[in-house]
Amino acid sequence: MITCFIRYEIDPFKKEEFAAYSRTWGEVIPRCGADLIGYFGPHEGSATTAYGVYNVESLAAYEAYRARLLADPLGRENYAFAHKERFILNENRIFLKNVSSPVGGE
């Protein structure tokens, strides 16, 4: 299992638009095959940093998931919403593996 962390730089005056975008992914991402942990928006500290976090089995599974996401009507609509409203200023993905399994875990 790998975890995708998406770090967003968002427009601080469009936090509500980012929240709406995030709620839509809450429906679409699980339907397309990833295990959504959540989207996290600014609360205290930075007004421009947000994250999306989800698990996938492998990079191959991620590629298949991305194809389903791009084919999903609500997914396409959400990408168009972000493009039109321009609340995402920058976006970076990193894939990490959990290396802190509990003692006695596998």
Side-chain angles (χ1 to χ4, degrees):
M1 182 71 63
I2 57 175
T3 304
C4 179
F5 291 83
I6 307 170
R7 182 185 180 281
Y8 296 95
E9 179 186 352
I10 64 171
D11 183 326
F13 300 103
K14 295 188 174 185
K15 290 189 279 189
E16 288 305 315
E17 288 85 343
F18 181 78
Y21 172 81
S22 300
R23 286 189 296 273
T24 299
W25 286 135
E27 178 181 340
V28 177
I29 288 173
R31 180 172 64 222
C32 289
D35 176 24
L36 180 64
I37 295 168
Y39 270 74
F40 303 86
H43 177 70
E44 185 69 31
S46 173
T48 60
T49 302
Y51 290 90
V53 184
Y54 59 88
N55 292 316
V56 290
E57 288 294 321
S58 63
L59 288 176
Y62 169 76
E63 293 300 329
Y65 153 77
R66 289 287 293 175
R68 288 189 297 273
L69 199 65
L70 293 170
D72 186 276
L74 189 54
R76 285 195 311 270
E77 211 174 279
N78 212 28
Y79 283 124
F81 171 64
H83 182 74
K84 177 181 176 234
E85 297 298 324
R86 300 191 174 278
F87 50 86
I88 297 173
L89 307 176
N90 196 9
E91 177 178 336
N92 294 291
R93 279 178 181 71
I94 186 169
F95 295 89
L96 301 174
K97 184 174 182 173
N98 185 344
V99 295
S100 66
S101 296
V103 174
E106 294 183 37

